[in-house]
Every structure is written in C-alpha cells, then in structure tokens.
Amino acid sequence: MALFIYGTVFNNADRVGKCIESLKPLNYKKIFVVDNYSTDGTYEILKNMQNVVVMRRKCSHGLGRQLALELALKEAYDEDFLMYVDFDTVYFDKYVNIIKEMIKKLSDNEVFIFGMLSKAKLNRSVPWRDLLTSEDLERVAHLKYLGYKIVMDEEKFDIVFGGKGLINPYYQNDQSAGDNFYQRHMRYKISNIQFMVRMFRVMIDNERGAAFKSLREFYSISSKKNIKRYFIFFIAYIIANLLGVYRYAKN
C-alpha cells in the first residue's frame, strides 16, 4: 500500500522545494505535478527532483488537479492512497503525523477532508471539475452525494485550517485567509484588465462550485455592498447558471 501525492503549481520556485522536503516523512512513492507554465523556474526545479513527475498545461485549478490525479491513477493500485497538496505550503510534522494516522484508519468509502486523502479506487469515479475556485467544495458535495463518508475530526480540522499544523508564507504578518486567496491569484496578473477578467471568472466558478441557493445568498459573500457590486454578482450568477451549477441536493 503506497501513497501518491498530486497537485498543481504556478510560480512557486521559492517554496516548492521546501514543500516537497516537508512531505518526505510521509514516505510517498511519487508526486505528480501539473505546472501552469511557470515563468520563475518552478518547472525546471521540479524536473530535477527524484520521484516527481511534472507536466505543463494551461488550465484552471480544478482541471490541473484532475490531470495530475489521472497521472497518479495510471500508477496507483486500487488500495493505494492518493492526496493532493498545495505546493506553496510548507507542512509541519504535526500535519504529516495526522496524515500517517489517517492512512491507518481510513476505510474504502472514507475521505479525509484535508487533501482529500482516500483510496485510489474511490478517486476513479469522482473527477475534479474545470473550475478556478470552489472545486474542492464541489468535489466534497459529489463525494457525499455518491455515499462516501467525509472524515473531519473537529480537533484535527482546527489544527490544519487554523494554521497550527502548516505554514503558508501568505499567512505571515497576520494576513487573513482572504488575503491569501487574493495573493495567490495575483501571481497570474499580467495586466489590470486580464486580472479583472480572471477575478470575474473566479466569481462565476464560485457559484458553479459552491452552488449558492439564490442570488441573494451568492451576493451575501460580497465584501462590499453597492449597486455596482450587485450588478457584477447578478451577471456572474446568470452566467454560472447558464454554464451549469454543480448542485447535488436542494439544500
């Protein structure tokens, strides 16, 4: 029974090596990475690492994870474990130990919420969607809809999501999770117009993946409330529903 790790990366040359080094205590068999055409040497760093397979592809977060997952599934047996990671994050021993513990405990129909650690055979039937954001929420909903159990021990959940179990450079200087989200997307900024277009697609994909029940609920997440913002959310909501929202239950 082996562990395979997968994920996507873009312009993380200053962190990707530290990230992979922090994961070595997991004794993973191989790491599969989809690089979104990094321009800072990230791809070259990954190519020279042992037990790392990297491919280049222009894609969304969700599609990149799916492509990396497919690479892993080609080598993994049904009873092997798979998990994704964010390669801009350096993981503490506390987090690594949680994963080791979960590998011993998880049954065939269980998924540990952080990294979606689970058996390979489970992953063959639940794809990642082509979304820029909320792809993880959509996949959790899909897993639950198919009858899989989401394991989310509250104490362990607080450790990893509270920042006590991992170090993310964007969380330094007391930056919020919202700042972290914004900074991650800023890495893709080429021009102000292109960045605005990207952030608009993020809004659309947020509705498609999170499946807010109504425009009112969707608009409630806006940090600012005014006519202009409402109009932007209204257009994003309409486009999202035309493209298709991944909704698995009325609630």
Side-chain angles (χ1 to χ4, degrees):
M1 186 172 60
L3 171 65
F4 294 88
I5 297 173
Y6 68 95
T8 61
V9 71
F10 179 74
N11 283 357
N12 289 135
D14 59 337
R15 292 181 291 276
V16 68
K18 295 176 182 178
C19 170
I20 292 176
E21 183 67 27
S22 71
L23 294 168
K24 283 186 176 179
L26 285 173
N27 296 317
Y28 57 82
K29 187 171 183 179
K30 196 171 288 186
I31 292 178
F32 299 89
V33 189
V34 171
D35 173 67
N36 200 348
Y37 282 91
S38 294
T39 58
D40 67 345
T42 297
Y43 177 71
E44 289 73 20
I45 291 171
L46 289 168
K47 277 187 67 177
N48 291 319
M49 286 187 170
Q50 284 189 328
N51 300 319
V52 175
V53 176
V54 57
M55 67 177 290
R56 307 190 92 172
R57 176 74 180 268
K58 280 289 183 184
C59 56
S60 67
H61 297 167
L63 178 57
R65 283 180 180 172
Q66 178 61 24
L67 293 172
L69 172 61
E70 290 172 2
L71 290 174
L73 287 173
K74 288 180 181 178
E75 295 198 25
Y77 292 103
D78 282 349
E79 295 302 313
D80 290 332
F81 278 91
L82 302 180
M83 65 175 285
Y84 79 85
V85 302
D86 293 321
F87 289 103
D88 60 357
T89 301
V90 179
Y91 296 90
F92 277 157
D93 289 342
K94 185 177 288 187
Y95 170 82
V96 170
N97 289 334
I98 289 172
I99 296 301
K100 287 181 177 179
E101 179 184 339
M102 286 296 167
I103 288 175
K104 295 177 182 177
K105 292 181 176 181
L106 290 178
S107 65
D108 289 356
N109 71 329
E110 292 182 323
V111 181
F112 180 47
I113 188 70
F114 204 75
M116 295 198 193
L117 177 72
S118 52
K119 294 286 186 70
K121 58 184 174 184
L122 178 156
N123 285 271
R124 300 186 195 281
S125 59
V126 190
W128 288 91
R129 305 298 187 182
D130 185 4
L131 299 170
L132 275 177
T133 189
S134 295
E135 72 282 355
D136 48 355
L137 295 177
E138 185 282 328
R139 196 162 190 253
V140 168
H142 196 175
L143 285 162
K144 291 188 70 174
Y145 175 74
L146 293 176
Y148 295 111
K149 181 181 178 181
I150 307 300
V151 177
M152 189 174 66
D153 182 286
E154 289 187 7
E155 180 182 355
K156 293 178 176 60
F157 187 83
D158 288 341
I159 288 173
V160 291
F161 280 96
K164 299 175 183 177
L166 57 86
I167 299 175
N168 188 312
Y170 292 131
Y171 280 109
Q172 292 178 359
N173 303 320
D174 296 323
Q175 285 185 308
S176 69
D179 292 329
N180 176 50
F181 175 82
Y182 182 76
Q183 288 295 329
R184 281 181 167 177
H185 285 283
M186 280 293 289
R187 285 178 291 158
Y188 294 88
K189 185 176 181 179
I190 299 174
S191 69
N192 288 336
I193 292 177
Q194 286 178 310
F195 186 66
M196 288 172 63
V197 170
R198 179 181 180 84
M199 295 311 291
F200 185 63
R201 186 188 162 184
V202 166
M203 292 177 67
I204 293 170
D205 284 359
N206 193 14
E207 164 61 18
R208 296 188 71 201
F212 293 97
K213 294 190 290 290
S214 65
L215 173 59
R216 177 181 294 181
E217 186 179 82
F218 181 44
Y219 179 60
S220 71
I221 68 172
S222 177
S223 58
K224 298 178 181 179
K225 301 291 191 298
N226 54 50
I227 296 297
K228 180 180 178 181
R229 290 287 291 176
Y230 181 83
F231 180 73
I232 294 173
F233 268 79
F234 173 75
I235 298 299
Y237 184 80
I238 295 299
I239 293 174
N241 280 271
L242 287 173
L243 291 174
V245 174
Y246 296 106
R247 184 174 286 110
Y248 297 99
K250 290 182 179 180
N251 61 352

